[in-house]
Amino acid sequence: MSQESVKLIYEDEYCLVVSKPSNLIVHHSYYARNIEETSLTDLIREQGCLEACPVHRLDRKTSGLILFAKKAEWVADFQKLFENGEIEKKYLALLRGHLEAEGSIDSPVKNDRGNYKDALTKYTCLEHFERAYVIPPYEKQRYSLVELTPITGRMHQLRIHANKIAHPIINDPKYGNRHHNHYFQEVLGIHELFLHAQSLKFKQPFTGELVWLQEPFPDFWNRFLIP
């Protein structure tokens, strides 16, 4: 499989893991019905894996690791890992404000049918930052680099939960803080969402191999982290 368009992180006979860039849809679905651009699934199939199917989803604006089954008939076997809590996903996010060292967010999230479902996210704060950004009413701003571990897998769960505790993810257009988003986009020139699927860990259901993968965050993060 060529890596010219899609960065391949892992591949075996049954599956592959790629690094999805920000602002690329995983596949065309009901939720992306108004987006006519090429999807990540399209690109992978164009590069030779003709039956590749995503096992889980990432929001269009979220970057990072995503698992594909090489054939549709194998998708269910990999999805059982998620259903049984046998796959570990960790994300990095830049949040507004200073968070405590660690904690959990246990708050229901509404699904596409309008029904609330239990949702749980654990977090660990990795680093605090202060920046001399003038965003009224303050002349200095606080941010936290946070590792997020979703225990459940609801749509927009991490973004909703971050907002729920009043520490929204930077550049989240739906659940974020518009004043901080505006500053990052118009002053710093950073338009991407600061949410990155950094790590995947699972036992391959067909081979029994333990697969543990990590992917560094995209370059645009350094424009904040290294001012």
Side-chain angles (χ1 to χ4, degrees):
M1 178 176 170
S2 169
Q3 298 184 48
E4 292 179 2
S5 299
V6 179
K7 183 179 179 182
L8 179 65
I9 306 300
Y10 171 84
E11 183 176 14
D12 63 28
E13 182 181 352
Y14 300 94
C15 70
L16 53 91
V17 177
V18 301
S19 180
K20 186 186 90 66
S22 180
N23 296 322
L24 178 67
I25 60 172
V26 173
H27 62 96
H28 292 282
S29 65
Y30 175 81
Y31 303 104
R33 59 192 181 279
N34 296 322
I35 300 175
E36 297 181 356
E37 66 190 37
T38 300
S39 70
L40 178 63
T41 302
D42 293 334
L43 291 174
I44 291 173
R45 290 176 177 178
E46 288 173 4
Q47 290 177 228
C49 196
L50 302 180
E51 297 181 57
C53 295
V55 175
H56 58 112
R57 60 175 178 258
L58 289 179
D59 293 343
R60 182 177 186 271
K61 294 182 177 294
T62 303
S63 60
L65 298 176
I66 183 165
L67 173 64
F68 279 76
K70 286 191 169 182
K71 292 186 178 181
E73 64 194 75
W74 296 334
V75 169
D77 295 277
F78 287 99
Q79 286 183 335
K80 287 179 182 177
L81 297 174
F82 291 89
E83 295 168 4
N84 298 331
E86 296 173 344
I87 189 165
E88 180 182 84
K89 294 192 296 178
K90 292 185 180 294
Y91 293 73
L92 289 178
L94 182 68
L95 274 56
R96 191 194 69 173
H98 282 178
L99 271 71
E100 57 193 45
E102 59 184 22
S104 61
I105 309 164
D106 188 352
S107 179
V109 169
K110 189 184 295 185
N111 65 12
D112 56 321
R113 297 181 179 180
N115 300 318
Y116 282 94
K117 297 291 185 179
D118 290 340
L120 176 63
T121 301
K122 294 184 178 181
Y123 67 84
T124 301
C125 186
L126 304 177
E127 191 170 351
H128 287 155
F129 302 91
E130 286 194 3
R131 295 287 186 264
Y133 302 160
V134 180
I135 305 175
Y138 305 108
E139 295 185 356
K140 287 187 177 181
Q141 311 302 323
R142 292 179 170 184
Y143 301 96
S144 297
L145 177 63
V146 179
E147 181 184 81
L148 299 171
T149 304
I151 306 304
T152 52
R154 311 303 181 196
M155 181 175 290
H156 294 179
Q157 176 177 316
L158 300 181
R159 297 164 59 188
I160 292 171
H161 275 179
N163 179 62
K164 190 79 175 181
I165 60 171
H167 293 285
I169 299 172
I170 299 301
N171 273 346
D172 188 330
K174 187 170 184 178
Y175 307 101
N177 179 281
R178 61 187 179 89
H179 301 293
H180 286 260
N181 291 354
H182 181 270
Y183 191 93
F184 271 75
Q185 294 167 19
E186 300 302 322
V187 179
L188 303 181
I190 304 174
H191 296 263
E192 295 88 351
L193 176 69
F194 278 84
L195 180 62
H196 178 67
Q198 179 201 31
S199 173
L200 271 181
K201 184 179 181 181
F202 62 94
K203 186 176 182 180
Q204 218 276 22
F206 293 98
T207 67
E209 177 187 0
L210 178 63
V211 180
W212 191 357
L213 308 168
Q214 290 187 309
E215 171 71 355
F217 47 65
D219 289 342
F220 75 84
W221 282 65
N222 288 321
R223 290 157 62 190
F224 169 84
L225 297 173
I226 308 174

